[in-house]
Amino acid sequence: MSKAHGFETRAIHAGQEPDPLTGAVVVPIYQTSTYKQDGVGGLRGGYEYSRSANPTRTALEQALAALENGTRGLAFASGLAAEDTLLRTVCRPGDHVILPGDAYGGTFRLVARVLTNWGLEYTSVPLADLAAVQAAVRPTTKVIWCETPTNPLLGIADIAALAGIAAPAGALLVVDNTFASPYLQQPLALGADIVVHSTTKYLGGHSDVVGGALVVADADLGEQLAFHQNAMGAVSGPFDAWLVLRGIKTLGVRMDRHCANAARVVDFLTSHEAVSSVLYPGLPEHPGHDVASRQMSGFGGMVSFRMRGGEEAALKVCGLTTVFTLGESLGGVESLIEHPGRMTHASVAGSALEVPGDLVRLSVGIETVEDLLADLADALA
Ligand SMILES: Cc1ncc(COP(=O)(O)O)c(C=O)c1O
């Protein structure tokens, strides 16, 4: 499979040649921990132990690299396992990381409450303010961590502009591409060094697996990360890798529908009197709209909105929908609704990253859009 092939072709075929043994067109789940050696050191295809490598995981890793146009993909047990492995590969105690002012709560918690104990230092900066990012750079800055769009405020950061700050500073630009997916945004092509995913979300796409991924352009960096992946051991299991691989095959068609349904939901919410504001990069008045239009091919399926009636109204609406399921996570085929302040982002309460209490987040799924609109209309009424 070459880079010349289209996105959907790569999603269905990259790393997924028919099985050489049987011709099975779907990569088998190699549910094995170890492999028979043909004499000591006589490995078949390089497989000796499934923490180090497993054929189902290899297929997923090749597919991930192909979708992000990188040279190397690595699959982990969760998005946070990928993030932890990444940060402890490229940083040393005493190094400094720049985090987005509204980073995903789990990323903030990993850095602020786990890796600071290991000696990592950090500054949270609103990434849309490039002068503030530049001013936060220290001689010890090793990573600028970017999320775009952000979770849950749907902020937009300019990936190419951040790459222009990171490179001269000798820092790596990491982009968490979970919200956009590689179908809508290609960070490596915009100058990022490493792409992070919670494959739990759009890549898996069916809310049935937890996983994470890293993709890099630079082969040496890929080697260092692969060494740490094996040394630290937070790998994706074969069945989980297979589920993500199956999800990836339909990523393109799912994202088209997520975007189309989200646009209709946004239209509906912007004209609803109970809603004080809608946060969606597809809206022309969104401060990141121009940058998002440049660097994304669609605005995605995540929509947040604020309730005129404050936190009480936000909590109430979260409990009243029947097609939108009240739940954490995002990116699956089914629509979800949640209250970030009390749910996904409870870990940043009391910090500078605390999110407003009147905020509601939707992961707009791929159901019949009229049903989604009717459900929201009932709940808001
Ligand atoms: C943007 C983003 N990055 C990373 C993660 C962490 O991924 P995981 O839950 O798979 O560990 C999440 C999870 O919600 C997320 O939303």
Side-chain angles (χ1 to χ4, degrees):
M1 201 49 39
S2 82
K3 286 189 175 178
H5 286 101
F7 187 90
E8 290 86 344
T9 309
R10 282 177 279 140
I12 293 168
H13 296 290
Q16 302 166 73
E17 295 301 320
D19 182 48
L21 193 62
T22 63
V25 294
V26 172
V27 173
I29 304 167
Y30 283 91
Q31 196 70 40
T32 187
S33 61
T34 191
Y35 304 81
K36 178 186 184 320
Q37 303 193 7
D38 297 325
V40 175
L43 306 183
R44 301 182 193 182
Y47 295 102
E48 58 182 319
Y49 184 59
S50 281
R51 170 165 36 72
S52 312
N54 171 283
T56 316
R57 199 176 88 221
T58 302
L60 170 60
E61 293 181 333
Q62 290 177 355
L64 289 164
L67 293 190
E68 289 286 4
N69 273 308
T71 60
R72 185 101 187 224
L74 298 163
F76 292 85
S78 69
L80 281 171
E83 295 184 16
D84 180 36
T85 304
L86 159 59
L87 285 167
R88 288 194 287 148
T89 299
V90 302
C91 297
R92 294 291 169 268
D95 284 345
H96 174 248
V97 171
I98 294 177
L99 289 181
D102 58 347
Y104 164 61
T107 301
F108 178 75
R109 181 177 54 198
L110 172 69
V111 172
R113 301 199 37 204
V114 178
L115 294 176
T116 48
N117 295 327
W118 178 76
L120 199 65
E121 297 178 0
Y122 74 94
T123 314
S124 297
V125 182
L127 295 190
D129 183 349
L130 294 171
V133 176
Q134 184 68 65
V137 172
R138 303 179 190 171
T140 52
T141 303
K142 284 287 154 55
V143 165
I144 298 180
W145 191 281
C146 166
E147 251 183 66
T148 183
T150 58
N151 181 4
L153 296 174
L154 282 305
I156 296 294
D158 185 334
I159 297 173
L162 289 171
I165 296 176
L172 295 168
L173 177 63
V174 174
V175 175
D176 183 333
N177 205 23
T178 299
F179 263 40
S181 90
Y183 183 67
L184 300 180
Q185 181 168 270
Q186 296 268 296
L188 297 179
L190 294 164
D193 298 290
I194 306 173
V195 173
V196 174
H197 279 284
S198 168
T199 56
T200 316
K201 312 294 169 11
Y202 287 106
L203 287 166
H206 297 75
S207 305
D208 52 11
V209 63
V210 172
L214 300 175
V215 183
V216 293
D218 180 75
D220 288 342
L221 182 55
E223 269 309 306
Q224 289 170 39
L225 290 165
F227 170 81
H228 284 79
Q229 179 197 37
N230 179 46
M232 294 163 74
V235 295
S236 172
F239 184 49
D240 288 357
W242 186 88
L243 283 170
V244 175
L245 202 52
R246 187 179 62 163
I248 280 177
K249 290 175 199 281
T250 55
L251 180 66
V253 289
R254 283 188 286 109
M255 291 313 295
D256 284 341
R257 178 64 78 88
H258 282 296
C259 291
N261 281 2
R264 293 281 303 277
V265 165
V266 167
D267 268 357
F268 168 78
L269 290 173
T270 42
S271 56
H272 200 287
E273 58 185 9
V275 173
S276 59
S277 64
V278 180
L279 314 181
Y280 188 65
L283 286 168
E285 62 270 27
H286 185 290
H289 179 69
D290 291 347
V291 174
S293 305
R294 249 194 344 261
Q295 72 187 13
M296 301 176 78
S297 59
F299 299 109
M302 297 303 297
V303 178
S304 292
F305 61 97
R306 299 181 71 169
M307 292 291 293
R308 242 180 247 296
E311 180 159 20
E312 204 183 318
L315 289 168
K316 198 165 174 199
V317 81
C318 287
L320 287 174
T321 54
T322 55
V323 182
F324 280 84
T325 301
L326 177 61
E328 303 199 356
S329 200
L330 59 108
V333 291
E334 65 288 300
S335 293
L336 298 175
I337 187 167
E338 69 122 359
H339 185 266
R342 299 274 182 103
M343 295 169 64
T344 48
H345 289 67
S347 62
V348 294
S351 79
L353 279 75
E354 183 168 316
V355 294
D358 60 4
L359 188 75
V360 176
R361 190 189 77 178
L362 303 177
S363 173
V364 180
I366 64 172
E367 299 97 333
T368 311
V369 72
E370 286 75 19
D371 294 331
L372 300 180
L373 300 179
D375 191 32
L376 289 172
D378 287 348
L380 288 166

